[in-house]
Amino acid sequence: MAAPSRLKKVRNIGIIAHIDAGKTTVTERILYYTGRSYKIGEVHDGTAVMDWMEQEQERGITITSAVTTCEWKGHQIQLIDTPGHVDFTIEVERSLRVLDGVVAVFCAVGGVEPQSETVWHQADKYGVPKIAFVNKMDRIGADFSQVLEQMKEKLQANPVAIQIPVGRESDFRGVVDLLSQRQIVWKDEALGAEYEYVPIEEALSDQVQEAREELVAQLAEWDDQLMEKYLEGVEITDSELRRTLRRLTLELKVVPVLCGAALRNKGIQPLVDAVVDCLPCPLDVPPVRGIHPVTKETEERLSSDQEPLAALAFKIQMDQGRKLTYTRIYSGKIRAGDVIYNARRGTREKLSRIFRMHANKRERLEEAGAGAIVALMGLKSASTGDTLCDEKRPILLEAIQAYEPVISVAVEPKTRGDQDKLMDSLQKLAEEDPTFRFYEDEDTGQIVIRGMGELHLDILITRLQRDYGVGVNAGKPQVVYRETVQESALGRGVFDRDIGGAKHYAAVEVHVEPRPRGKGNRVVQRVRDDSIPEAFLPAVEQGISDALTSGELMGYPVVDVEVSIVGGEFREGASTELAFRVAATMAFRDACQKAQPTLLEPYMAVEVLVPEEFLGEVIGDLNLRKARVEGITARKAVQVVDAIVALSKMFGYSTALRSVTQGRATFSMQFARYDVLCEPLGGY
């Protein structure tokens, strides 16, 4: 093993949350108290270190995940601050793919909000241990116990409070550490950098005793030795509880919960202590698994400098015209000047430089080992999800799943001089962002860009103008539709042509039928005779796959259909792969025309937080948008409206909502599913 003592002192963590829960504010305090920053940056005045992009500073939101490193009590914490807006959820996805643990930040007033659920389930998908921080305990309506209940209900989590707040709302003045049974207070004049442990206030003693009992009981449920001591009434020590808490957190059985008010500089140092005490080091997580690119056998790599190199490129960023490849090294070592093998592309590239990143600032390194998160320069062909490894011991790690864009806009260059630069700039943006796509419409000659939402496309258009100096005019946002079939049908395609003096013949019969919504496409081979030789079946499947990319109605991708290959015709000496491939495409199109094709559009899950006096106006506006209201629940001083509504009806909703509620309501939405059109399109 390579330097296990070094790896024991490493924590690779991310900060995740719903938009405006205070992730970046928490991160800025961590950087200040660990000595990484010399002053506290604030999101609201555009001075946050981690929100370094101009658009982030102007809008007061995080758009791109930012990486930094800091030191705390002899430990190296490599930290990624992620966006909270649903349009940038790919940034969370690819960060969680390479992290060992996360801090989930919840608003003490808003509780578990929609995007909180999304990022939590993303962390669950990758089996990432979590600790929770209930922020904004100083806000009106703050309720620590309500957030714990919502974590149980909405996230099916097992939250374990290891702190309770001292006071709430404007009276919030500190926390009680239930493990050491001491109260912590912060000194405002020192910007929260100084804090001290004091005896617990007498008025809180009963509440603390009860909360401590609850903590011990929750941990004892999972630990027989602890349960034995608990039942016998034997005193359980602070160190025993910490040991058990760490083990259960790593096993994903419990989630330690802390609280504070980051903007008021309270609660951050115990949170960083919990990161060190409860979240895993690279040695605590299972060895990374992948497959051998040639033999397809399962391969494993331990977290060690002595193992062969295995690293994942999880993010691409263009920096002053140069390409930075953000990489998590799972095993082995890399040095500047090394030739690195890209297992997904089968290419070798020379690594020119290695950087440790602090937001957009770079610190040059000569080498980096297992457990490191670094940015590499010189890898021209690498993209998000590529595996970088030792060519003699190759491994292919699981790639990062990208989301399908749901909204599109047509753009055109303002001047002829911008025409050539536009395509090149769009290509660079697409390299950075896997959820961004673009293409040239063959019929209109327009360039169409696609993304995850109005804000996403707005940011990309702004970046084209500011970062790449390309002026563009943009049309109105358009929804990205899908096509499917509503009935079952048989189709036949025959290809019979002379090409280049050679005969090409094939006939294919397919059966198409609808699948349940969201189940995707499936191609099944059901040829009962020898009408299609086995050698030609891959060509038939390829022809069907080609046809699925463009439907019969408006050329949108076809989804949720099952295509069965049921028969065909073969002629000795005349049938070719090309013929079968084209015949399969023709057969599929024929079947689709008979199977009642229809358009599907994206529907969004919308949550509106509105003061009760404006509830009627909000419901009325949603009804005009043909929304289906799923439920209305009270949350302290506001009503929460949950609805499902077609994306096409949500353009400009933020302006309309501000108008009918005097700016007092907020909303969030995320993609729910594709479903049949809310109302027919013009001409369809």
Side-chain angles (χ1 to χ4, degrees):
M1 288 296 291
S5 58
R6 173 184 71 82
L7 289 173
K8 277 183 183 176
K9 301 282 189 182
V10 171
R11 299 289 183 275
N12 289 320
I13 67 158
I15 312 282
I16 61 172
H18 184 87
I19 191 168
D20 205 31
K23 293 178 308 303
T24 303
T25 305
V26 168
T27 307
E28 292 298 321
R29 268 61 184 175
I30 291 174
L31 296 180
Y32 180 66
Y33 300 139
T34 57
R36 192 69 176 84
S37 297
Y38 69 92
K39 68 173 185 175
I40 294 177
E42 300 292 8
V43 175
H44 55 264
D45 59 17
T47 58
V49 173
M50 303 302 274
D51 285 351
W52 57 271
M53 288 174 66
E54 276 184 51
Q55 294 95 321
E56 292 178 316
Q57 292 165 2
E58 288 169 0
R59 297 167 189 264
I61 61 168
T62 302
I63 292 167
T64 182
S65 52
V67 183
T68 191
T69 305
C70 55
E71 302 280 336
W72 183 254
K73 297 184 177 177
H75 290 74
Q76 183 188 57
I77 298 174
Q78 297 182 116
L79 186 152
I80 300 181
D81 176 33
T82 65
H85 196 286
V86 65
D87 284 13
F88 310 107
T89 194
I90 185 63
E91 293 286 335
V92 185
E93 181 83 20
R94 56 188 179 185
S95 298
L96 288 172
R97 174 70 176 78
V98 298
L99 292 169
D100 300 330
V102 296
V103 176
V105 179
F106 298 99
C107 172
V109 182
V112 178
E113 297 168 282
Q115 188 65 4
S116 308
E117 294 183 62
T118 302
V119 296
W120 189 276
H121 296 317
Q122 284 174 302
D124 281 343
K125 181 168 87 174
Y126 293 116
V128 180
K130 299 170 277 288
I131 61 178
F133 181 70
V134 181
N135 191 25
K136 304 191 179 183
M137 285 303 305
D138 59 325
R139 290 271 297 275
I140 293 172
D143 191 331
F144 183 65
S145 57
Q146 180 187 308
V147 179
L148 294 176
E149 285 305 313
Q150 288 185 7
M151 287 178 69
K152 291 175 192 172
E153 289 168 23
K154 294 187 175 182
L155 306 175
Q156 278 76 57
N158 188 10
V160 175
I162 61 174
Q163 291 178 348
I164 60 169
V166 178
R168 53 187 276 188
E169 300 181 348
S170 59
D171 187 40
F172 177 70
R173 54 193 183 279
V175 301
V176 172
D177 181 351
L178 297 175
L179 296 168
S180 64
Q181 299 185 80
R182 292 183 294 172
Q183 187 170 323
I184 311 173
V185 292
W186 279 265
K187 296 181 179 178
D188 291 334
E189 63 274 12
L191 293 176
E194 293 179 23
Y195 61 101
E196 58 184 356
Y197 289 90
V198 298
I200 295 168
E201 294 174 18
E202 200 170 318
L204 288 171
S205 58
D206 289 346
Q207 187 188 343
V208 170
Q209 190 58 40
E210 190 182 322
R212 164 88 175 186
E213 286 278 318
E214 174 71 13
L215 166 63
V216 174
Q218 282 182 283
L219 296 182
E221 274 184 46
W222 301 93
D223 189 286
D224 292 342
Q225 284 183 319
L226 220 57
M227 180 61 83
E228 213 172 289
K229 285 190 170 186
Y230 177 64
L231 294 174
E232 290 173 3
V234 177
E235 180 65 28
I236 296 170
T237 65
D238 176 4
S239 58
E240 283 178 295
L241 286 177
R242 289 182 194 278
R243 222 172 18 249
T244 307
L245 184 67
R246 177 178 176 78
R247 179 175 61 79
L248 296 178
T249 304
L250 298 188
E251 292 172 1
L252 307 180
K253 289 176 179 169
V254 303
V255 179
V257 185
L258 303 92
C259 61
L263 194 60
R264 300 285 169 261
N265 310 313
K266 292 177 170 65
I268 302 301
Q269 293 91 337
L271 175 63
V272 191
D273 286 338
V275 165
V276 168
D277 293 342
C278 299
L279 291 181
C281 70
L283 298 174
D284 292 321
V285 297
V288 67
R289 288 188 161 201
I291 59 166
H292 192 289
V294 179
T295 66
K296 305 302 179 189
E297 290 180 2
T298 301
E299 296 269 336
E300 273 192 0
R301 297 286 185 271
L302 297 170
S303 192
S304 162
D305 291 353
Q306 262 63 54
E307 288 269 302
L309 176 66
L312 187 76
F314 68 93
K315 176 181 166 79
I316 304 297
Q317 182 180 309
M318 303 307 292
D319 185 12
Q320 296 171 356
R322 295 186 174 186
K323 182 174 172 179
L324 285 177
T325 305
Y326 284 75
T327 305
R328 163 70 194 264
I329 304 172
Y330 289 101
S331 64
K333 260 189 175 182
I334 53 172
R335 293 175 182 81
D338 281 357
V339 174
I340 292 183
Y341 182 66
N342 186 325
R344 188 158 79 96
R345 299 177 182 276
T347 57
R348 299 179 202 87
E349 288 195 90
K350 188 170 183 179
L351 170 64
S352 59
R353 295 179 187 178
I354 306 170
F355 298 106
R356 178 182 290 138
M357 299 302 293
H358 178 48
N360 62 331
K361 296 181 174 65
R362 306 185 296 208
E363 178 188 332
R364 195 161 171 179
L365 303 173
E366 287 306 311
E367 64 175 30
I373 294 176
V374 290
L376 310 179
M377 191 175 277
L379 308 183
K380 292 184 177 64
S381 66
S383 66
T384 300
D386 283 4
T387 303
L388 310 175
C389 61
D390 182 341
E391 190 174 3
K392 293 176 183 171
R393 293 280 306 279
I395 185 172
L396 191 58
L397 304 177
E398 182 189 352
I400 295 169
Q401 174 191 351
Y403 297 85
E404 284 297 314
V406 296
I407 192 169
S408 66
V409 163
V411 295
E412 60 181 24
K414 285 185 175 176
T415 66
R416 188 177 295 276
D418 288 329
Q419 179 72 50
D420 296 335
K421 285 165 63 180
L422 178 57
M423 295 304 279
D424 183 48
S425 303
L426 288 173
Q427 185 59 49
K428 287 176 179 173
L429 286 173
E431 273 192 68
E432 289 188 40
D433 186 350
T435 59
F436 169 62
R437 317 277 167 80
F438 70 96
Y439 66 95
E440 191 167 354
D441 191 301
E442 292 177 3
D443 297 327
T444 65
Q446 285 182 311
I447 295 166
V448 179
I449 63 173
R450 290 180 172 179
M452 300 300 291
E454 283 183 274
L455 178 63
H456 187 203
L457 292 182
D458 188 26
I459 296 289
L460 289 166
I461 290 167
T462 306
R463 288 195 62 199
L464 274 176
Q465 294 167 339
R466 289 189 186 176
D467 298 357
Y468 296 99
V470 180
V472 293
N473 295 316
K476 288 184 177 178
Q478 302 290 321
V479 173
V480 178
Y481 295 94
R482 294 285 184 268
E483 297 185 21
T484 192
V485 298
Q486 299 180 85
E487 294 184 357
S488 301
L490 274 169
R492 177 177 173 83
V494 179
F495 185 79
D496 186 5
R497 279 198 198 158
D498 288 326
I499 301 174
K503 189 78 171 168
H504 292 265
Y505 177 84
V508 175
E509 285 183 8
V510 300
H511 178 264
V512 302
E513 59 184 291
R515 297 191 77 203
R517 203 64 68 235
K519 290 295 182 183
N521 296 324
R522 186 164 68 175
V523 179
V524 185
Q525 200 276 98
R526 291 203 171 102
V527 181
R528 296 281 179 259
D529 50 26
D530 295 328
S531 57
I532 301 179
E534 200 167 314
F536 290 110
L537 285 172
V540 174
E541 290 181 10
Q542 185 59 52
I544 292 168
S545 296
D546 293 344
L548 285 166
T549 62
S550 176
E552 287 300 289
L553 290 174
M554 297 178 71
Y556 291 109
V558 181
V559 298
D560 300 336
V561 297
E562 179 169 302
V563 188
S564 303
I565 308 164
V566 294
E569 196 178 324
F570 163 78
R571 287 183 187 170
E572 194 74 48
S575 289
T576 62
E577 285 192 4
L578 170 67
F580 272 107
R581 184 168 171 173
V582 177
T585 299
M586 294 166 69
F588 176 78
R589 296 199 186 289
D590 181 45
C592 274
Q593 285 174 352
K594 298 173 183 173
Q596 278 209 19
T598 188
L599 283 178
L600 301 176
E601 67 177 323
Y603 278 73
M604 312 302 283
V606 179
E607 183 185 84
V608 186
L609 273 67
V610 55
E612 192 159 357
E613 61 262 40
F614 298 109
L615 183 61
E617 287 88 344
V618 167
I619 297 293
D621 185 64
L622 286 171
N623 286 336
L624 286 174
R625 295 170 190 273
K626 293 184 165 53
R628 190 173 79 240
V629 176
E630 305 260 279
I632 303 170
T633 53
R635 188 183 296 170
K636 293 291 180 182
V638 297
Q639 297 290 319
V640 182
V641 182
D642 290 299
I644 299 291
V645 58
L647 174 61
S648 59
K649 299 291 183 183
M650 291 302 288
F651 293 135
Y653 183 62
S654 56
T655 304
L657 184 65
R658 281 198 300 271
S659 176
V660 298
T661 65
Q662 296 173 16
R664 292 177 60 194
T666 60
F667 84 103
S668 61
M669 69 177 184
Q670 54 191 331
F671 175 74
R673 63 175 182 269
Y674 270 95
D675 216 330
V676 179
L677 275 182
C678 175
E679 54 190 44
L681 291 180
Y684 161 61

